[in-house]
Amino acid sequence: MTETSKLVAFAHLFEPGAGTQPINRIEIPLIQRDFAQGRDDAPTRRIRSNFLDVLAGALVGESTTPVELDFIYGDVTSDDGVLRPLDGQQRLTTLFLLHWYLGYSKGLDVPSQPWATFSYATRASARLFCERIVEHAPPQAVGDPSSWIRDQAWFQYVWKHDSTIASMLTMITALHDRFAEVDVKLAWDRLTDHHRAAIRFHLLPIPDMGSPEKLYIKMNSRGKPLTDFENVKAQLESHLDEVDPGRSFAHKVDGAWTDFFWPYRGEDGLVDGGMLRYLEFVIESGEWRRGIAPAETVDARARELLTSDSDGRASFDQLFAAFDTWVGADIDAYFDDLFATSRTKAINNRVPLFGGEARTNLFEACIQTFGETRGATRVFTFGQQLLLSAVVAYRAGRSTEVDARLRQRIRVIRNLIDASENEIRIDRMPALLAEVESLALNGLVGDRTAFNRAQFDDEHAKAQFIEENPHLEGVVRRLEDHPLLRGSLVAFELNSALLEKRADAFLLAFESKSTWTAMTGALLAAGRYPRARDGRARSFQFGVGAEGLATAWRAVLGTGTRESAAPLREALNAVLDNVARSSDTAEALTEVKDDKLAQWERAQEFSWQYYVTKYEVMREGRSGIYFGLDGALGYRLCMLERTQLNSYYRDPFLSAIYDLAGVGGEVDEPWFTGYEWNDRWLTLRRSGARLRALEAEFVLDPPLDDRFADTFLTAAAETGARDGVIPIPQSVSAGEAIDSVDRVRRGAELLQSLVRAGL
């Protein structure tokens, strides 16, 4: 023992001269573990029972020798007289509960007792619990006070899951079991005797320990490891002192906020991970609003954000609003009422999220995956972040209910996000966030956007159309929810007389992949619908057949401006009008194709459009992407399986010739790689002779093996070739050279004749 320590009883700590510094209250600091003496495991039960035997013996036993509980030491702050123990937490907590139990049992006014100023800083819930049991002492004849406490209106449901509170309740029950039948006056007098208190300890204050927040971060030798959120929470509490003097944050984070996080707790049984991820989501949104570059740690980011405005009030209010909005909410039901997946029907006007596996509960997705990445991609995407921000803004500023106005605005935001793959990136997120929050609160107003401009204009066009034709809103919604349109209606004329029939026809025509092949043929017959890709002249996006990728149809039907989609609209509307008139969708599509082919054949006009319509093999590329020589759709095309020319692809004309000739065993399959201007040949396996098609002619290349030289010359002469060239008869129409004979049939005949000749 040192000269700075003093033997003292718990009730006398708060009296002048009890210690080297005045003590006004006790606060268990953040560095401490949960209260452990009330745990319900066998070893702790034995320790608790032995300890209470010692206390009971001192208070009501025959011995008059005081019990000394060794040293209790900690920091006593000079400005407010708060004792924060570094050692002795467990004993002090039990002594507080013992004084509380005997005090109310004796009929004392517990709130007025100096020793009642006992608190926990480890969790706001434990702090609040201590306050409540002091303010609301049980009646003297209540029986087990822990059961009475659990039945009170002020007892929060989430406290049942707080380990410190659960341990305190267990200790209260143990105290009741031990002291319910004793002479309370005797026990109290011995406990609080000024001259010879029955239970004492040595108080050793340690000055200048530093802030408890720093100790909380640096020290944890007292029990289980602290979570990242507990560290951040400690820092936040210190940052919020000026703008949160009532410590609302501390109370809510372990009270009302924990309640709505509780159903989503992690495998460790804690809500801390989810709270931290949601806090990071809120902080990042605040950084974007204020143009703040993020610091390295979450607590540093929070500190920077909270000092970014003059008094910290705006950031504080926004942080609180983002959490407070979920208090009392059935979050699962809320998002289930607002969103559907693209694989479920949008019943009750729910807004489908595009992507078959999209998660509708954005709050849950955020608190489970925010901040995680797969490579350079965020698991909780920027798009999800913007949608959730819009929901939070609407709940905070308009209504916490899922109403028609929210659904309409969220639908617009969903459409803009889906169409803005190129625009949604980190450097543009501040502008995008501001826009979605404005959209959520005010609707679609103004003519400036950070999203895809074409989609933004389409949203305005649809909004005006619905305003003029409210009876067709359901038709518009059904179309824009389609997975191949995903919000864009540039492929449709917004015509009040025709839209509903065309919408029904579209849903039939694209009901399954089985119609895709027929649809590509029908569309090509109806017009030159392929779309230039990303404004580039070299390549074009076609639709695809049943083996192709849905993204191809999405690129055709749901991208670009209304102006650029005009040829597509003309072709699609013609096809849909025919489907609408028919009782058989497949027959209607085939009819469009066959009628146009017959017209071309009668006129002997065989353009590239005719060939791709006529020969299905020329429409079998999985990507639907075609590169044309000199950026033109003509007779020199590359039909891609993937998206780039450095992968293997096919020449659609050579593929059709190869397929029609039926000589697969004699000719190499026509797969190629390289630029669209490279030479592409059909090669005969036996001799190595080759055939290719140019804009207006076939070219024959002789075999390298001299053994086949004479045979090649004879066969070439029989085909009408001169110097290896066989012209393809053409005429000119509207400035375009168009074949007068079917070059695929002519090419197949040439290939067959070369094979028959033995080449």
Side-chain angles (χ1 to χ4, degrees):
M1 184 170 57
T2 72
E3 61 181 6
T4 59
S5 68
K6 185 172 183 177
L7 192 62
V8 65
F10 182 84
H12 305 154
L13 273 176
F14 308 89
E15 297 174 356
T20 57
Q21 295 178 3
I23 295 174
N24 297 319
R25 63 188 176 95
I26 298 174
E27 182 180 89
I28 305 302
L30 291 169
I31 62 171
Q32 296 289 8
R33 61 177 173 170
D34 295 334
F35 177 49
Q37 286 188 356
R39 291 176 183 169
D40 199 29
D41 54 88
T44 304
R45 285 196 295 271
R46 287 194 298 271
I47 293 170
R48 180 170 58 248
S49 178
N50 292 337
F51 185 48
L52 293 183
D53 283 344
V54 171
L55 299 183
L59 295 178
V60 295
E62 295 180 358
S63 173
T64 58
T65 303
V67 170
E68 293 186 6
L69 301 180
D70 210 346
F71 283 90
I72 290 177
Y73 60 92
D75 172 51
V76 180
T77 53
S78 58
D79 57 340
D80 58 3
V82 177
L83 168 64
R84 294 182 175 90
L86 288 180
D87 188 64
Q89 168 209 357
Q90 305 295 322
R91 286 166 286 160
L92 286 172
T93 304
T94 299
L95 288 174
F96 161 68
L97 294 174
L98 174 63
H99 282 69
W100 174 83
Y101 178 84
L102 293 176
Y104 89 76
S105 298
K106 190 175 183 296
L108 297 179
D109 180 19
V110 172
S112 68
Q113 303 301 309
W115 50 260
T117 56
F118 179 91
S119 182
Y120 261 76
T122 54
R123 285 187 179 274
S125 51
R127 180 192 304 121
L128 188 59
F129 176 80
C130 292
E131 294 173 0
R132 291 291 185 268
I133 63 172
V134 167
E135 294 169 358
H136 307 282
Q140 287 178 278
V142 74
D144 182 1
S146 63
S147 297
W148 179 86
I149 290 170
R150 289 186 177 93
D151 289 338
Q152 301 310 297
W154 49 262
F155 186 85
Q156 298 182 17
Y157 175 82
V158 72
W159 289 354
K160 296 180 180 180
H161 309 289
D162 186 298
S163 56
T164 288
I165 294 175
S167 290
M168 285 184 175
L169 290 168
T170 299
M171 179 59 78
I172 287 171
T173 297
L175 289 168
H176 177 70
D177 292 342
R178 188 61 55 95
F179 291 97
E181 303 299 329
V182 305
D183 184 339
V184 173
K185 183 180 184 306
L186 172 65
W188 182 259
D189 289 343
R190 286 188 178 184
L191 183 64
T192 60
D193 189 294
H194 275 82
H195 301 290
R196 193 174 174 81
I199 301 170
R200 301 178 296 183
F201 51 85
H202 292 285
L203 175 65
L204 180 60
I206 302 176
D208 301 321
M209 290 199 312
S211 74
E213 289 79 19
K214 291 181 179 177
L215 283 171
Y216 181 70
I217 302 296
K218 295 176 181 177
M219 299 178 60
N220 191 32
S221 61
R222 303 298 302 161
K224 63 184 181 182
L226 301 170
T227 67
D228 290 340
F229 181 69
E230 286 171 327
N231 284 294
V232 172
K233 179 180 68 173
Q235 293 285 3
L236 266 178
E237 287 188 25
S238 66
H239 302 329
L240 292 171
D241 282 345
E242 292 186 7
V243 292
D244 187 26
R247 300 181 70 81
S248 298
F249 175 82
H251 286 284
K252 288 189 175 186
V253 78
D254 284 319
W257 293 351
T258 297
D259 284 349
F260 64 78
F261 277 96
W262 186 253
Y264 308 106
R265 59 193 179 276
E267 294 180 358
D268 57 3
L270 300 176
V271 300
D272 293 33
M275 278 189 163
L276 180 61
R277 282 185 281 272
Y278 189 67
L279 178 63
E280 289 182 274
F281 158 76
V282 175
I283 289 173
E284 185 168 60
S285 298
E287 290 169 340
W288 288 339
R289 291 187 194 100
R290 287 167 176 75
I292 302 171
E296 291 186 3
T297 62
V298 178
D299 60 282
R301 293 173 68 187
R303 181 170 61 252
E304 182 72 17
L305 177 62
L306 292 169
T307 57
S308 63
D309 42 273
S310 59
D311 59 0
R313 192 75 231 178
S315 296
F316 174 80
D317 290 345
Q318 287 167 341
L319 184 150
F320 257 61
F323 279 84
D324 274 344
T325 187
W326 302 114
V327 173
D330 185 336
I331 299 176
D332 283 342
Y334 181 86
F335 282 101
D336 187 58
D337 192 27
L338 178 58
F339 291 122
T341 70
S342 62
R343 295 188 179 185
T344 61
K345 293 182 178 179
I347 59 173
N348 299 327
N349 295 316
R350 292 186 300 169
V351 181
L353 295 177
F354 299 127
E357 302 304 321
R359 298 175 67 174
T360 57
N361 189 332
L362 296 179
F363 176 82
E364 181 180 16
C366 175
I367 68 172
Q368 289 181 351
T369 63
F370 187 86
E372 296 180 11
T373 58
R374 293 194 184 103
T377 303
R378 293 190 177 200
V379 175
F380 188 71
T381 65
F382 282 144
Q384 289 176 304
Q385 194 166 350
L386 290 170
L387 267 179
L388 180 56
S389 296
V391 170
V392 171
Y394 190 83
R395 287 180 61 91
R398 290 290 182 267
S399 171
T400 58
E401 300 298 322
V402 176
D403 52 28
R405 183 171 57 180
L406 173 62
R407 289 193 178 95
Q408 185 272 328
R409 293 175 182 179
I410 285 293
R411 179 180 290 275
V412 171
I413 294 169
R414 174 206 65 177
N415 296 346
L416 289 170
I417 289 171
D418 193 75
S420 302
E421 180 180 355
N422 294 330
E423 288 80 8
I424 296 179
R425 54 183 190 266
I426 186 67
D427 61 301
R428 294 172 63 91
M429 287 302 287
L432 294 168
L433 176 65
E435 187 167 348
V436 298
E437 290 182 335
S438 174
L439 280 165
L441 294 173
N442 307 310
L444 191 64
V445 295
D447 60 357
R448 300 187 62 171
T449 184
F451 286 100
N452 179 276
R453 183 75 220 185
Q455 186 64 42
F456 183 79
D457 291 341
D458 191 46
E459 294 303 320
H460 273 285
K462 287 184 293 185
Q464 182 177 347
F465 178 77
I466 291 171
E467 184 178 356
E468 297 169 355
N469 303 277
H471 63 289
L472 293 176
E473 180 177 3
V475 176
V476 172
R477 301 312 182 210
R478 286 201 307 275
L479 279 176
E480 63 179 6
D481 287 344
H482 195 281
L484 299 183
L485 299 176
R486 295 175 72 139
S488 174
L489 296 193
V490 295
F492 292 83
E493 295 289 352
L494 295 179
N495 185 309
S496 59
L498 299 172
L499 184 63
E500 186 167 11
K501 288 184 178 180
R502 287 173 175 171
D504 291 340
F506 179 87
L507 297 176
L508 284 172
F510 285 96
E511 189 172 16
S512 72
K513 279 191 170 186
S514 62
T515 60
W516 284 8
T517 301
M519 177 57 79
T520 58
L523 276 178
L524 274 168
R528 296 191 173 185
Y529 75 87
R531 314 286 301 278
R533 295 175 63 233
D534 302 327
R536 292 177 290 182
R538 289 178 59 201
S539 62
F540 301 85
Q541 184 71 63
F542 286 55
V544 290
E547 301 303 317
L549 304 173
T551 51
W553 279 114
R554 163 68 180 148
V556 168
L557 297 168
T559 61
T561 65
R562 286 199 155 267
E563 182 181 6
S564 68
L568 167 68
R569 281 199 304 278
E570 182 179 355
L572 179 64
N573 291 337
V575 172
L576 295 180
D577 288 345
N578 204 57
V579 170
R581 290 190 293 267
S582 174
S583 60
D584 189 305
T585 300
E587 286 184 3
L589 296 175
T590 301
E591 181 181 52
V592 173
K593 182 191 69 170
D594 289 349
D595 286 352
K596 189 63 176 180
L597 287 174
Q599 177 184 334
W600 281 326
E601 288 165 356
R602 285 194 299 271
Q604 293 186 317
E605 293 179 349
F606 304 102
S607 66
W608 68 265
Q609 189 180 355
Y610 166 83
Y611 293 116
V612 183
T613 304
K614 172 76 172 180
Y615 297 103
E616 192 173 303
V617 70
M618 298 180 73
R619 295 182 266 117
E620 288 184 351
R622 281 178 50 79
S623 73
I625 296 172
Y626 290 70
F627 275 73
L629 184 65
D630 298 327
L633 288 169
Y635 299 117
R636 300 282 299 279
L637 299 176
C638 304
M639 180 175 64
L640 276 59
E641 292 291 292
R642 299 184 179 177
T643 59
Q644 295 179 320
L645 290 166
N646 58 6
S647 60
Y648 280 100
Y649 59 82
R650 286 175 283 176
D651 180 313
F653 287 96
L654 296 184
S655 291
I657 291 169
Y658 174 88
D659 183 69
L660 187 61
V663 291
E666 303 291 340
V667 180
D668 288 340
E669 289 190 40
W671 288 94
F672 309 96
T673 187
Y675 292 111
E676 66 270 28
W677 52 79
N678 289 355
D679 292 341
R680 295 184 293 277
W681 300 85
L682 285 170
T683 302
L684 284 79
R685 292 177 178 173
R686 187 178 303 172
S687 66
R690 302 186 298 175
L691 170 71
R692 66 170 171 160
L694 299 180
E695 286 86 342
E697 59 198 17
F698 290 106
V699 177
L700 296 177
D701 193 40
L704 298 176
D705 192 334
D706 290 341
R707 292 178 301 164
F708 295 95
D710 291 340
T711 304
F712 175 77
L713 290 173
T714 301
E718 290 177 353
T719 63
R722 298 184 61 180
D723 296 325
V725 174
I726 305 169
I728 300 173
Q730 292 183 326
S731 61
V732 177
S733 175
E736 179 181 354
I738 297 177
D739 292 348
S740 300
V741 298
D742 185 334
R743 69 166 60 207
V744 170
R745 288 190 175 278
R746 182 70 177 119
E749 292 167 357
L750 288 172
L751 199 58
Q752 290 170 338
S753 66
L754 295 174
V755 170
R756 284 195 301 269
L759 295 171

Short mmCIF file of all heavy atoms in Angstrom, two decimals, residues 549-575:
data_model
loop_
_atom_site.label_atom_id
_atom_site.label_comp_id
_atom_site.label_asym_id
_atom_site.label_seq_id
_atom_site.Cartn_x
_atom_site.Cartn_y
_atom_site.Cartn_z
N LEU A 549 -26.83 -14.00 -76.37
CA LEU A 549 -26.84 -13.36 -75.06
C LEU A 549 -27.92 -12.27 -75.00
O LEU A 549 -28.07 -11.48 -75.93
CB LEU A 549 -25.47 -12.75 -74.77
CG LEU A 549 -24.29 -13.72 -74.83
CD1 LEU A 549 -22.98 -12.96 -74.68
CD2 LEU A 549 -24.41 -14.79 -73.77
N ALA A 550 -28.62 -12.22 -73.87
CA ALA A 550 -29.69 -11.23 -73.71
C ALA A 550 -29.16 -9.81 -73.79
O ALA A 550 -29.89 -8.88 -74.18
CB ALA A 550 -30.41 -11.46 -72.38
N THR A 551 -27.89 -9.62 -73.43
CA THR A 551 -27.32 -8.27 -73.48
C THR A 551 -27.35 -7.70 -74.89
O THR A 551 -27.36 -6.48 -75.07
CB THR A 551 -25.88 -8.29 -72.96
OG1 THR A 551 -25.14 -9.31 -73.64
CG2 THR A 551 -25.84 -8.54 -71.47
N ALA A 552 -27.33 -8.59 -75.90
CA ALA A 552 -27.39 -8.10 -77.28
C ALA A 552 -28.73 -7.43 -77.56
O ALA A 552 -28.79 -6.33 -78.14
CB ALA A 552 -27.17 -9.26 -78.25
N TRP A 553 -29.81 -8.07 -77.13
CA TRP A 553 -31.13 -7.46 -77.34
C TRP A 553 -31.28 -6.20 -76.52
O TRP A 553 -31.89 -5.22 -76.96
CB TRP A 553 -32.23 -8.46 -76.98
CG TRP A 553 -32.53 -9.45 -78.06
CD1 TRP A 553 -32.32 -10.79 -78.03
CD2 TRP A 553 -33.07 -9.15 -79.35
NE1 TRP A 553 -32.70 -11.36 -79.22
CE2 TRP A 553 -33.17 -10.37 -80.05
CE3 TRP A 553 -33.47 -7.98 -79.98
CZ2 TRP A 553 -33.66 -10.45 -81.34
CZ3 TRP A 553 -33.96 -8.06 -81.27
CH2 TRP A 553 -34.06 -9.28 -81.94
N ARG A 554 -30.73 -6.21 -75.32
CA ARG A 554 -30.78 -5.01 -74.49
C ARG A 554 -30.09 -3.85 -75.20
O ARG A 554 -30.57 -2.72 -75.21
CB ARG A 554 -30.10 -5.31 -73.14
CG ARG A 554 -29.69 -4.09 -72.34
CD ARG A 554 -30.86 -3.32 -71.81
NE ARG A 554 -30.42 -2.16 -71.04
CZ ARG A 554 -31.07 -1.02 -70.95
NH1 ARG A 554 -32.21 -0.86 -71.59
NH2 ARG A 554 -30.62 -0.02 -70.23
N ALA A 555 -28.93 -4.12 -75.84
CA ALA A 555 -28.19 -3.07 -76.54
C ALA A 555 -28.95 -2.56 -77.76
O ALA A 555 -28.82 -1.39 -78.14
CB ALA A 555 -26.82 -3.59 -76.96
N VAL A 556 -29.74 -3.43 -78.37
CA VAL A 556 -30.53 -3.02 -79.54
C VAL A 556 -31.77 -2.25 -79.13
O VAL A 556 -32.06 -1.17 -79.66
CB VAL A 556 -30.94 -4.26 -80.37
CG1 VAL A 556 -31.99 -3.89 -81.42
CG2 VAL A 556 -29.72 -4.86 -81.06
N LEU A 557 -32.50 -2.79 -78.16
CA LEU A 557 -33.83 -2.28 -77.85
C LEU A 557 -33.84 -1.16 -76.82
O LEU A 557 -34.79 -0.36 -76.79
CB LEU A 557 -34.71 -3.42 -77.32
CG LEU A 557 -34.98 -4.57 -78.30
CD1 LEU A 557 -35.60 -5.75 -77.55
CD2 LEU A 557 -35.88 -4.12 -79.44
N GLY A 558 -32.82 -1.10 -75.96
CA GLY A 558 -32.92 -0.22 -74.82
C GLY A 558 -31.81 0.79 -74.65
O GLY A 558 -31.58 1.24 -73.53
N THR A 559 -31.14 1.16 -75.70
CA THR A 559 -30.06 2.13 -75.57
C THR A 559 -30.19 3.22 -76.64
O THR A 559 -30.91 3.06 -77.62
CB THR A 559 -28.68 1.46 -75.72
OG1 THR A 559 -28.57 0.87 -77.02
CG2 THR A 559 -28.47 0.39 -74.67
N GLY A 560 -29.45 4.29 -76.42
CA GLY A 560 -29.41 5.36 -77.41
C GLY A 560 -30.55 6.34 -77.30
O GLY A 560 -31.44 6.23 -76.44
N THR A 561 -30.55 7.30 -78.18
CA THR A 561 -31.57 8.36 -78.19
C THR A 561 -32.76 7.94 -79.04
O THR A 561 -32.68 7.00 -79.83
CB THR A 561 -30.98 9.64 -78.76
OG1 THR A 561 -30.63 9.42 -80.14
CG2 THR A 561 -29.72 10.07 -77.99
N ARG A 562 -33.85 8.67 -78.90
CA ARG A 562 -35.01 8.42 -79.75
C ARG A 562 -34.66 8.66 -81.21
O ARG A 562 -35.15 7.96 -82.10
CB ARG A 562 -36.18 9.31 -79.33
CG ARG A 562 -36.82 8.86 -78.05
CD ARG A 562 -38.21 9.39 -77.82
NE ARG A 562 -38.88 8.45 -76.94
CZ ARG A 562 -39.63 7.45 -77.35
NH1 ARG A 562 -39.84 7.27 -78.64
NH2 ARG A 562 -40.18 6.62 -76.50
N GLU A 563 -33.82 9.64 -81.46
CA GLU A 563 -33.43 9.93 -82.83
C GLU A 563 -32.65 8.78 -83.43
O GLU A 563 -32.93 8.34 -84.55
CB GLU A 563 -32.59 11.22 -82.86
CG GLU A 563 -32.17 11.63 -84.26
CD GLU A 563 -31.32 12.90 -84.26
OE1 GLU A 563 -30.99 13.38 -83.15
OE2 GLU A 563 -31.01 13.39 -85.34
N SER A 564 -31.66 8.26 -82.69
CA SER A 564 -30.85 7.17 -83.24
C SER A 564 -31.64 5.88 -83.35
O SER A 564 -31.29 5.00 -84.14
CB SER A 564 -29.62 6.95 -82.35
OG SER A 564 -29.99 6.43 -81.08
N ALA A 565 -32.70 5.75 -82.58
CA ALA A 565 -33.50 4.52 -82.60
C ALA A 565 -34.63 4.57 -83.62
O ALA A 565 -35.43 3.63 -83.69
CB ALA A 565 -34.08 4.26 -81.21
N ALA A 566 -34.72 5.60 -84.44
CA ALA A 566 -35.83 5.73 -85.39
C ALA A 566 -35.92 4.53 -86.35
O ALA A 566 -37.03 3.99 -86.55
CB ALA A 566 -35.70 7.04 -86.16
N PRO A 567 -34.81 4.06 -86.99
CA PRO A 567 -34.93 2.89 -87.87
C PRO A 567 -35.40 1.65 -87.11
O PRO A 567 -36.17 0.84 -87.65
CB PRO A 567 -33.51 2.71 -88.40
CG PRO A 567 -32.88 4.05 -88.28
CD PRO A 567 -33.45 4.63 -87.02
N LEU A 568 -34.94 1.49 -85.89
CA LEU A 568 -35.38 0.36 -85.07
C LEU A 568 -36.87 0.45 -84.81
O LEU A 568 -37.59 -0.55 -84.95
CB LEU A 568 -34.61 0.33 -83.75
CG LEU A 568 -35.18 -0.61 -82.68
CD1 LEU A 568 -35.01 -2.07 -83.10
CD2 LEU A 568 -34.54 -0.35 -81.32
N ARG A 569 -37.35 1.60 -84.41
CA ARG A 569 -38.78 1.75 -84.13
C ARG A 569 -39.62 1.40 -85.35
O ARG A 569 -40.65 0.72 -85.23
CB ARG A 569 -39.11 3.19 -83.69
CG ARG A 569 -38.78 3.49 -82.25
CD ARG A 569 -39.53 4.73 -81.76
NE ARG A 569 -39.28 5.90 -82.60
CZ ARG A 569 -38.22 6.69 -82.50
NH1 ARG A 569 -37.28 6.40 -81.61
NH2 ARG A 569 -38.08 7.74 -83.28
N GLU A 570 -39.18 1.86 -86.51
CA GLU A 570 -39.95 1.57 -87.72
C GLU A 570 -40.04 0.07 -87.96
O GLU A 570 -41.12 -0.46 -88.27
CB GLU A 570 -39.29 2.26 -88.92
CG GLU A 570 -40.04 2.07 -90.22
CD GLU A 570 -39.37 2.78 -91.39
OE1 GLU A 570 -38.38 3.51 -91.16
OE2 GLU A 570 -39.84 2.61 -92.54
N ALA A 571 -38.91 -0.63 -87.82
CA ALA A 571 -38.91 -2.07 -88.05
C ALA A 571 -39.68 -2.81 -86.96
O ALA A 571 -40.51 -3.68 -87.25
CB ALA A 571 -37.46 -2.57 -88.10
N LEU A 572 -39.44 -2.45 -85.70
CA LEU A 572 -40.09 -3.16 -84.61
C LEU A 572 -41.59 -2.96 -84.63
O LEU A 572 -42.36 -3.91 -84.45
CB LEU A 572 -39.50 -2.68 -83.27
CG LEU A 572 -40.10 -3.33 -82.02
CD1 LEU A 572 -39.81 -4.81 -81.98
CD2 LEU A 572 -39.56 -2.65 -80.76
N ASN A 573 -42.02 -1.74 -84.86
CA ASN A 573 -43.45 -1.49 -84.86
C ASN A 573 -44.16 -2.24 -85.98
O ASN A 573 -45.28 -2.73 -85.81
CB ASN A 573 -43.72 0.00 -84.96
CG ASN A 573 -43.30 0.75 -83.69
OD1 ASN A 573 -43.20 0.17 -82.62
ND2 ASN A 573 -43.02 2.04 -83.82
N ALA A 574 -43.49 -2.35 -87.14
CA ALA A 574 -44.08 -3.11 -88.24
C ALA A 574 -44.24 -4.58 -87.86
O ALA A 574 -45.27 -5.21 -88.15
CB ALA A 574 -43.21 -2.97 -89.49
N VAL A 575 -43.21 -5.14 -87.21
CA VAL A 575 -43.27 -6.54 -86.80
C VAL A 575 -44.34 -6.73 -85.73
O VAL A 575 -45.15 -7.67 -85.79
CB VAL A 575 -41.89 -7.00 -86.27
CG1 VAL A 575 -42.00 -8.39 -85.64
CG2 VAL A 575 -40.87 -7.01 -87.39
#
